[in-house]
Amino acid sequence: MKVLLVGGGGREHALARTLSRSPLLTRLWCAPGNPGIAEVATCVPIRAEDIGALVAFARDQAVDLVVCGPEAPLTLGLADRCAEAGLRCFGPSAAAARLEGSKSFTKEICDAAGVPTARWARFTDSAAARDHLRVQGAPIVVKADGLAAGKGVVVAQSVAEAEAAVAAMMDDRAHGEAGAAVVIEECLLGEEISFFALCDGTQALPLAAAQDHKRVGEGDTGPNTGGMGAYSPAPAFTEALRDEVMARMIRPTLAEMAKRGTPFRGVLFAGLMLTAEGPKLIEYNVRFGDPECQVLCLRLRGDLLAALLAACEGGLDAVALDWSPDPAVVVVMAARGYPGTPLRGTAIGGLDAAAAVPGATVFQASTVAGPDGTVLADGGRVLGIAATAGSLREARDAAYAAVDALRWPEGFCRRDIGWRALG
């Protein structure tokens, strides 16, 4: 099979590395890719949001399967355009991708399908939103309704903080049109879990769970980010909880989407809170998580490409995937200034030394090749330094040993990834 992978981050590096090992694969391209991805795929200079150019390339190269990594191309209709061109695409239609593209749409689906979630309200007027906050009190959650690259969520510990978030999103347009409307939610308490399932429109195949670390600072302090690290498996997420989530969330959501004429095909990422009342949905995403994808790919046994193809064509009931019992940890190395304005263009040394640490894998995310062949930082979350081992502590130690092998003084990371499980 000839495959075009869309995207150029750490998630796509993990997917490219995994897909490259499939016995079904004959050729792998990635658009736009990055220097790390170039080691296992042919990178083509097409932006992930350039839907027309992606479809034209896939058609010209007789691509058998387009695999979309990030959410933006899906919300822009990549899967729809591929279908019009007679191409298979792993990922939902634009209508189904609203599960990530609109927080309020997801809440409406949850209400219709009986999926347990936080109490919520949507506002398009900032004054009305502030009035609601004063009545509800804090802690409370303010979310930009649209896509905000993982940064449109504020878990406010005071009404003043929540009002400031509303002002930034709705009045100052800190996230552009994504914040023209906000969803204000009850603040759920408990452990947060990322759970993934492959979907073919009617059936769902449970994958695995991971625990992400959203806040920039150690001890879960500071502003939310796209994710500063993750580990899998998550000890708090038992098989019984997995079965409950499949029965009460994933399958009812698929049924409701199909009922509305927008069947969901692709990977459904359920952000969960394990509360005292049981698991509740925080939000859905319509793609693999980043950095969760990195640890899932390290643990995956079986042919991912065959599973993605089954999700496109139906027949997930015949797919069997297995997972290594060895834990995996990924530590995100970010550029100084993130999650604000990151410092770009700095040279990263020691990548080979980091990859040489036993059990370690280096995923490149926001990188570009310099004129002399050096790897340069080109965004906020720049590297994912991952490792597997026989225990979570050993995996974490290996990951941090690889971090320490790097020569990149302009980068930083959290030093407590996995703290909930390890203490």
Side-chain angles (χ1 to χ4, degrees), residues 347-352 354 375 383 405-408:
I348 304 168
L351 289 169
D352 290 340
V375 174
L383 302 172
L406 294 170
R407 298 190 306 277
W408 185 35

Side-chain angles (χ1 to χ4, degrees), residues 51 54-55 58 66 77-89:
I51 307 303
L54 291 170
V55 172
V66 176
L78 176 60
D80 308 80
R81 293 284 296 278
C82 283
E84 292 167 4
L87 298 165
R88 286 179 293 204
C89 179

Side-chain angles (χ1 to χ4, degrees), residues 113-117 195 197 204 206 236-253 270 272-281 284:
V115 173
T117 188
F195 175 68
F237 195 71
T238 63
E239 288 189 10
L241 281 173
R242 177 201 65 195
D243 294 344
E244 182 179 354
V245 169
M246 290 295 293
R248 299 187 65 197
M249 297 183 188
I250 305 298
R251 293 192 183 101
T253 297
L272 309 172
M273 188 68 78
L274 306 185
T275 75
E277 295 79 34
K280 293 187 178 183
L281 184 79
Y284 278 132

Side-chain angles (χ1 to χ4, degrees), residues 25-413:
L25 186 76
T26 56
R27 186 74 188 271
L28 178 62
W29 293 275
C30 188
N34 66 42
I37 294 172
E39 297 175 4
V40 293
T42 301
C43 294
V44 292
I46 302 174
R47 293 184 304 107
E49 294 80 15
D50 192 345
I51 307 303
L54 291 170
V55 172
F57 178 87
R59 185 179 56 241
D60 292 346
Q61 298 296 329
V63 164
D64 298 296
L65 181 64
V66 176
V67 177
C68 188
E71 65 276 11
L74 295 169
T75 60
L76 291 172
L78 176 60
D80 308 80
R81 293 284 296 278
C82 283
E84 292 167 4
L87 298 165
R88 286 179 293 204
C89 179
F90 176 76
S93 66
R98 290 185 67 203
L99 282 173
E100 180 164 359
S102 170
K103 302 292 191 300
S104 58
F105 176 77
T106 291
K107 289 294 189 178
E108 291 168 6
I109 293 292
C110 288
D111 290 348
V115 173
T117 188
R119 296 187 303 273
W120 66 285
R122 180 180 185 270
F123 297 91
T124 57
D125 178 76
S126 61
R130 284 189 282 269
D131 288 343
H132 179 77
L133 289 171
R134 295 176 190 124
V135 171
Q136 297 299 316
I140 198 161
V141 181
V142 180
K143 297 180 178 181
D145 195 11
L147 293 177
K151 300 176 186 177
V153 177
V154 174
V155 182
Q157 299 302 314
S158 68
V159 171
E161 184 183 0
E163 289 181 330
V166 166
M169 292 179 193
M170 303 189 76
D171 299 333
D172 301 337
R173 291 293 198 270
H175 307 295
E177 288 307 303
V182 299
V183 170
I184 298 177
E185 295 182 359
E186 162 196 18
C187 184
L188 299 176
L189 300 178
E191 281 204 51
E192 193 170 344
I193 296 290
S194 302
F195 175 68
F196 301 85
L198 289 183
C199 307
D200 65 10
T202 57
Q203 300 179 93
L205 174 70
L207 297 180
Q211 193 156 56
D212 188 14
H213 298 62
K214 284 294 185 189
R215 292 188 181 264
V216 71
E218 293 172 14
D220 288 339
T221 57
N224 276 330
T225 71
M228 294 299 294
Y231 63 95
S232 178
F237 195 71
T238 63
E239 288 189 10
L241 281 173
R242 177 201 65 195
D243 294 344
E244 182 179 354
V245 169
M246 290 295 293
R248 299 187 65 197
M249 297 183 188
I250 305 298
R251 293 192 183 101
T253 297
L254 287 187
E256 181 63 25
M257 293 295 286
K259 177 182 174 183
R260 294 179 179 224
T262 54
F264 185 91
R265 299 181 183 90
V267 62
L268 192 56
F269 167 1
L272 309 172
M273 188 68 78
L274 306 185
T275 75
E277 295 79 34
K280 293 187 178 183
L281 184 79
I282 300 171
E283 63 183 13
Y284 278 132
N285 294 315
V286 299
R287 36 71 188 182
F288 285 103
D290 187 347
E292 295 98 332
C293 185
Q294 288 86 311
V295 290
L296 295 189
C297 283
L298 288 176
R299 293 188 57 225
L300 178 65
R301 292 171 172 170
D303 190 348
L304 178 63
L305 181 52
L308 301 187
L309 186 62
C312 292
E313 298 183 332
L316 276 176
D317 55 336
V319 173
L321 292 175
D322 191 19
W323 302 90
S324 168
D326 290 347
V329 174
V330 62
V331 177
V332 169
M333 289 291 293
R336 191 172 297 157
Y338 180 78
T341 302
L343 183 63
R344 296 175 184 262
T346 57
I348 304 168
L351 289 169
D352 290 340
V357 172
T361 302
V362 175
F363 295 109
Q364 294 188 34
S366 297
T367 60
V368 293
D372 57 353
T374 57
V375 174
L376 306 178
D378 193 44
R381 295 183 301 155
V382 177
L383 302 172
I385 310 300
T388 59
S391 72
L392 180 59
R393 189 171 297 279
E394 291 171 324
R396 185 172 77 165
D397 289 347
Y400 281 118
V403 166
D404 292 337
L406 294 170
R407 298 190 306 277
W408 185 35
E410 297 84 5
F412 74 95
C413 68

